[in-house]
Amino acid sequence: MEATGVSSSPLSTSSSDDFAASLDEELAAISSEHGAHETKQDHDVKAQSCKRQRLNSSSDECAHPSLIKGMCVKCGQMVDDDDVSAVALGYIHKDLKVGSEELARLRDKDLKSLFGKKKLYLVLDLDHTLLNSTQCQHISPDEEYLTSQLQDLPDGNLFHVPSVHMFTKLRPFVRTFLKEASSMFEMYIYTMGERAYAMKMAELLDPERIYFDSRVISKDDCTQKHQKGLDVVLGAESAVIILDDTEFVWQRHKENLVLMDRYHYFSSSGRSFGLNNRSLSELRTDESEPDGALATILEVLKCIHFLFFDPEGDGDLMGRDVRQLLKAVRGEVLNGCKLVFSHVWGMEEKPENQKLWKLAEELGASCCKELDSSVTHVVSTDMRTEKSCWAVKHGKFLVHPRWLDTANFLWKRQPEENFAVGC
């Protein structure tokens, strides 16, 4: 794997074969085997050579579908960035920009190709989703035992990564998850971390480069500050599922998002989110493989994949939308439940504007403000409130708000007795 993680050869992603082939042909005039590291002089000479070869081309009519360092890979003309609407895809090829119309064409063609393989797209966050990392200097005294358990074998799950000065722990079940998910999805990594870190983590997760190859998107590839976007993913939004522990960074694509329960293995990870309890590493324990977050979400992904490619459907795969399926499946989680909230937010707050109220409705529950015989659950943080006492008296479920959060992460109604309300 190159130190930069950026290939000097064209798309090794799922993008259409004709684009990869044409880009290969065009770049032959401007890119050597190590083109990503070529000097400016080399590039200038090759660019002039490429332009001379195209003196008789109709460059004035070229739409400049793709650019490398400002040069159109089709006609060889140098193009001002302000003259074209293009998206930088540096993770695919150094200094590559692809025009919006070309991107739309590529996505449409690639979608048809992917559907032929019965696959969708899966965009995966790294930190707290697939793994957990901490700076070496942040290891707590109770975690120092980990240094004697480091593994450098391909099937290991705890690593010291000197190049980025970190310890990294892979989430339980992640290798099985990636293997099984790869049969249903074309997968991307998308992290807000630096590129060097992203590439090293990709190497730990996928040492043979069979799952992601060059489909590793990092902070520098984002087109909007502090936000992730599908504009740099060569996949149609209607066929993309996102797994991430942070909702905020996907403001433009919430309907594609499956929110993950955060994986905090190291103590510094939990502290960064305001958690003061002892970490998994300090307790010398870990998430369950068969019942953990990744195993649970894999079953959700299998369900969505099955429904999307259901032969009983209308037959028009191009007209199907994974976002509608995600919404429908989520809407069945608490179907039939009717909730009243007590002592969960301030009296002055509007209940219908609260996150938990909205979450309950997204999961298929109905919410109301007043008690009646049709109410099935009272959600409260205090068992002494009037509504909580009513629930106990009338044999209704009295649950802590964590009941909703857990159902949200696991996409399944949870046993109410596991979420009893304390005094």
Side-chain angles (χ1 to χ4, degrees):
M1 185 178 295
E2 294 182 355
T4 62
V6 181
S7 173
S8 61
S9 60
L11 299 182
S12 49
T13 68
S14 64
S15 57
S16 60
D17 293 339
D18 67 323
F19 180 62
S22 65
L23 188 55
D24 251 332
E25 181 181 345
E26 302 298 338
L27 289 177
I30 62 170
S31 182
S32 65
E33 180 180 359
H34 303 288
H37 308 288
E38 68 185 6
T39 65
K40 182 179 186 300
Q41 182 178 8
D42 289 338
H43 174 267
D44 291 343
V45 170
K46 290 169 185 175
Q48 292 301 321
S49 173
C50 185
K51 290 167 72 174
R52 286 196 297 271
Q53 291 175 21
R54 294 169 170 80
L55 283 177
N56 295 324
S57 69
S58 55
S59 60
D60 290 341
E61 300 175 2
C62 182
H64 310 310
S66 306
L67 309 174
I68 296 286
K69 291 190 176 180
M71 188 183 75
C72 175
V73 299
K74 182 176 181 181
C75 71
Q77 181 179 345
M78 298 304 294
V79 180
D80 190 322
D81 284 352
D82 295 333
D83 294 338
V84 294
S85 174
V87 176
L89 301 178
Y91 70 95
I92 293 174
H93 189 288
K94 186 175 174 62
D95 301 308
L96 171 66
K97 291 186 177 181
V98 180
S100 54
E101 290 186 8
E102 179 71 355
L103 267 176
R105 186 188 71 81
L106 289 172
R107 286 176 174 139
D108 183 70
K109 181 155 186 157
D110 192 51
L111 193 60
K112 293 174 182 176
S113 173
L114 209 61
F115 283 172
K117 304 172 188 176
K118 291 188 68 174
K119 284 189 173 185
L120 298 168
Y121 302 96
L122 183 62
V123 176
L124 298 164
D125 174 51
L126 283 177
D127 293 289
H128 308 113
T129 298
L130 299 183
L131 49 82
N132 191 209
S133 294
T134 187
Q135 293 286 338
C136 295
Q137 66 268 28
H138 293 160
I139 288 289
S140 73
D142 288 340
E143 293 174 321
E144 290 180 356
Y145 75 94
L146 295 173
T147 59
S148 64
Q149 298 185 7
L150 294 173
Q151 302 175 51
D152 294 320
L153 301 175
D155 60 347
N157 56 39
L158 178 64
F159 301 88
H160 177 219
V161 191
S163 61
V164 290
H165 311 291
M166 285 187 170
F167 286 100
T168 293
K169 171 68 171 60
L170 303 188
R171 196 168 198 166
F173 197 74
V174 68
R175 297 194 187 280
T176 301
F177 174 87
L178 293 175
K179 181 178 180 180
E180 294 196 25
S182 67
S183 67
M184 301 179 287
F185 299 91
E186 194 84 357
M187 298 190 294
Y188 285 75
I189 283 174
Y190 200 144
T191 176
M192 294 297 275
E194 301 293 339
R195 182 150 195 86
Y197 173 74
M199 295 306 297
K200 192 60 185 179
M201 296 303 104
E203 183 181 343
L204 298 182
L205 291 164
D206 184 19
E208 297 182 10
R209 298 186 68 169
I210 58 178
Y211 300 136
F212 307 111
D213 201 3
S214 65
R215 296 184 298 275
V216 180
I217 304 172
S218 61
K219 179 181 179 180
D220 292 340
D221 300 305
C222 298
T223 58
Q224 187 174 336
K225 193 173 183 180
H226 305 311
Q227 286 290 302
K228 297 179 179 180
L230 294 180
D231 49 351
V232 294
V233 174
L234 291 178
E237 291 183 23
S238 60
V240 176
I241 296 177
I242 301 164
L243 296 190
D244 203 315
D245 68 285
T246 304
E247 182 179 29
F248 169 78
V249 296
W250 290 104
Q251 291 295 314
R252 292 172 288 168
H253 306 288
K254 288 184 178 181
E255 293 181 325
N256 298 82
L257 177 64
V258 173
L259 194 62
M260 295 288 294
D261 194 10
R262 287 194 175 103
Y263 181 51
H264 294 298
Y265 183 74
F266 297 105
S267 60
S268 64
S269 175
R271 288 198 303 270
S272 67
F273 284 88
L275 303 177
N276 296 316
N277 53 305
R278 286 170 61 80
S279 67
L280 292 172
S281 58
E282 290 175 326
L283 295 171
R284 303 198 180 201
T285 187
D286 209 342
E287 280 188 358
S288 164
E289 285 232 3
D291 302 316
L294 288 177
T296 300
I297 291 302
L298 180 61
E299 295 306 309
V300 174
L301 295 179
K302 288 179 178 179
C303 175
I304 299 298
H305 181 272
F306 173 80
L307 292 173
F308 193 95
F309 291 102
D310 184 0
E312 301 295 323
D314 57 15
D316 178 22
L317 287 176
M318 297 297 289
R320 298 183 188 181
D321 195 322
V322 72
R323 292 167 292 193
Q324 296 175 0
L325 289 176
L326 288 171
K327 183 177 180 180
V329 172
R330 274 173 59 78
E332 291 296 319
V333 173
L334 296 182
N335 187 31
C337 297
K338 186 173 181 179
L339 278 53
V340 166
F341 293 86
S342 176
H343 207 264
V344 177
W345 45 74
M347 295 290 292
E348 71 284 358
E349 302 288 346
K350 273 193 165 185
E352 54 269 32
N353 291 339
Q354 302 307 305
K355 185 176 180 180
L356 276 178
W357 181 292
K358 294 178 179 179
L359 174 60
E361 291 184 331
E362 289 173 3
L363 295 174
S366 60
C367 301
C368 58
K369 302 175 185 178
E370 303 298 332
L371 297 169
D372 63 52
S373 59
S374 64
V375 170
T376 61
H377 294 72
V378 171
V379 182
S380 179
T381 57
D382 187 345
M383 65 181 304
R384 296 166 298 186
T385 69
E386 180 180 346
K387 291 176 180 177
S388 295
C389 293
W390 177 90
V392 173
K393 179 180 178 180
H394 291 86
K396 306 294 183 176
F397 292 114
L398 175 61
V399 293
H400 193 275
R402 286 193 302 270
W403 178 74
L404 277 172
D405 289 328
T406 306
N408 179 43
F409 287 127
L410 299 182
W411 289 58
K412 185 178 181 181
R413 179 173 168 176
Q414 299 299 295
E416 283 82 0
E417 60 269 21
N418 294 344
F419 298 87
V421 181
C423 295

